[in-house]
Amino acid sequence: MLRATELAQLLLRPAVQSGAWAIDATVGNGHDTKFLADLVGPSGRVFGFDVQAAALAVAAARLDGRPQVTLQLCGHEHLAAALPAEAAGQVAAVMFNLGYLPGADKQTTTRPATTLAGLAQALDLVAVRGMITLVLYPGHPGGADEAAAVRTYIARLPSNFAVAHWCRLTPAHPAPALLAIERRS
Ligand SMILES: C[S@@+](CC[C@H](N)C(=O)[O-])C[C@H]1O[C@@H](n2cnc3c(N)ncnc32)[C@H](O)[C@@H]1O
């Protein structure tokens, strides 16, 4: 069975064309950043955000000089301010992979307030037919509260956003879950 992170990439693939703009809101080791960079190609742009310099260093090595990527040591709660003004309504994909970096300090984790701030800004940035994905980890301390906060927020989205939710039910519940939001108009 696909993992939530793999399913996020599968869902996003058709939404991201060569030359598009995309955001990795939680760069970590850079797997999703590289995925987005290869979809948009050298004529596109990918903006990556993380609060850990060590994570960005690993990601930069993985990205191997891809010129379409800009990495920022900055929280995703500052997404809108960190992007050019013309990005509003033009971003094909925004990926959030919440929680902490595997193998790193578990205290440096995403938090409900900053996640919701970043998500609100991503909703303004995403293009029509563009998509936002969030991988939620309800199994770690604080993760269930964060997942609940995101679900509550999403339940109140206006009708021009379609939302899908995927979660494996067994084994190992609570398992990671995926939320995918598409802007329809
Ligand atoms: C699950 S990891 C991301 C894994 C990544 N997608 C990869 O491919 O390796 C979550 C990341 O979110 C980062 N993070 C925590 N708070 C953040 C914030 N406010 N803004 C951006 N990134 C944040 C952590 O430092 C961590 O690297």
Side-chain angles (χ1 to χ4, degrees):
M1 193 178 287
L2 286 179
R3 289 181 294 179
T5 48
E6 294 169 327
L7 185 58
Q9 294 192 353
L10 196 69
L11 289 174
L12 280 176
R13 196 176 285 276
V16 186
Q17 310 299 322
S18 173
W21 285 22
I23 296 171
D24 187 350
T26 52
V27 167
N29 290 322
H31 296 282
D32 288 332
T33 324
K34 182 166 178 269
F35 163 76
L36 292 170
D38 290 341
L39 286 181
V40 306
S43 61
R45 293 194 72 176
V46 177
F47 302 89
F49 296 83
D50 204 292
V51 293
Q52 296 193 70
L56 292 182
V58 173
R62 187 180 310 285
L63 290 161
D64 195 24
R66 284 169 171 76
Q68 62 269 45
V69 180
T70 307
L71 296 180
Q72 309 212 29
L73 182 59
C74 171
H76 44 228
E77 60 274 23
H78 306 296
L79 273 186
L83 261 68
E86 65 264 33
Q90 300 301 325
V91 175
V94 187
M95 300 185 81
F96 289 82
N97 185 4
L98 302 179
Y100 57 84
L101 190 63
D105 168 24
K106 293 187 180 173
Q107 301 303 314
T108 308
T109 184
T110 55
R111 314 249 172 217
T114 43
T115 297
L116 295 187
L119 176 55
Q121 292 167 43
L123 290 163
D124 288 335
L125 291 165
V126 74
V128 173
R129 297 287 160 210
M131 194 172 278
I132 301 169
T133 58
L134 300 110
V135 178
L136 313 172
Y137 297 90
H140 73 89
D145 289 345
E146 182 175 43
V150 171
R151 289 198 184 98
T152 301
Y153 184 89
I154 275 173
R156 298 186 191 128
L157 287 184
S159 60
N160 61 321
F161 291 101
V163 183
H165 180 216
W166 181 90
C167 176
R168 198 184 64 206
L169 294 179
T170 65
H173 198 66
L178 172 68
L179 284 167
I181 305 170
E182 184 190 43
R183 182 168 171 190
R184 293 151 58 92
S185 62

